[in-house]
């Protein structure tokens, strides 16, 4: 029994390390494009949701990926708000 517990613990630790590396790569990829502070916070949050959350509905993951894909390069808050609304509508995030 204890062998199984140790095996599960080892698998969990390995997955957590892989998730952390993916999270860091996400930050490196998307934060370098950010020009406004609010977008930086959204990118951190999206990277966290996409790479560190263990259980997530596919539409929620798609929403956060949409945020990553489109929010980083925005130059104004107005455009950022419009893009967030489109991501919410496209991925049915609030249902």
């Amino acid at each position: 029994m204890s062998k199984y517990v140790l095996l599960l613990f080892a698998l969990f630790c390995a997955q957590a390390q892989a998730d952390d590396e993916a999270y860091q790569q996400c930050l490196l990829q998307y934060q370098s494009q950010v020009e406004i502070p609010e977008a930086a916070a959204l990118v951190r949050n999206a990277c966290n949701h996409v790479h560190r959350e263990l259980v997530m509905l596919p539409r929620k993951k798609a929403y956060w990926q949409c945020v990553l894909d489109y929010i980083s390069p925005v130059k104004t808050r107005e455009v950022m708000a419009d893009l967030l609304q489109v991501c919410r509508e496209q991925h049915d995030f609030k249902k």
Side-chain angles (χ1 to χ4, degrees):
M1 175 72 174
S2 64
K3 288 182 184 180
Y4 293 117
V5 172
L6 288 175
L7 178 62
L8 285 174
F9 181 73
L11 289 172
F12 178 77
C13 288
Q15 181 63 39
Q17 183 177 6
D19 291 344
D20 197 49
E21 289 173 14
Y23 170 78
Q24 291 173 357
Q25 286 297 337
C26 182
L27 288 179
L28 287 172
Q29 179 179 353
Y30 293 102
Q31 286 285 33
S32 63
Q33 303 171 33
V34 171
E35 295 191 23
I36 57 176
E38 292 87 345
L42 277 168
V43 167
R44 275 192 307 278
N45 198 13
C47 286
N48 188 52
H49 281 289
V50 170
H51 296 290
R52 288 185 168 167
E53 252 184 61
L54 297 177
V55 178
M56 186 183 313
L57 294 172
R59 70 175 180 247
K60 187 175 178 186
K61 188 167 186 166
Y63 166 78
W64 288 113
Q65 188 61 54
C66 182
V67 169
L68 286 173
D69 292 340
Y70 295 103
I71 294 302
S72 297
V74 299
K75 295 180 183 359
T76 67
R77 289 170 181 82
E78 292 80 15
V79 171
M80 185 174 74
D82 292 343
L83 291 173
L84 286 172
Q85 182 64 34
V86 170
C87 286
R88 276 192 294 274
E89 290 172 2
Q90 278 188 345
H91 301 291
D92 204 19
F93 184 63
K94 295 300 176 186
K95 289 186 180 178

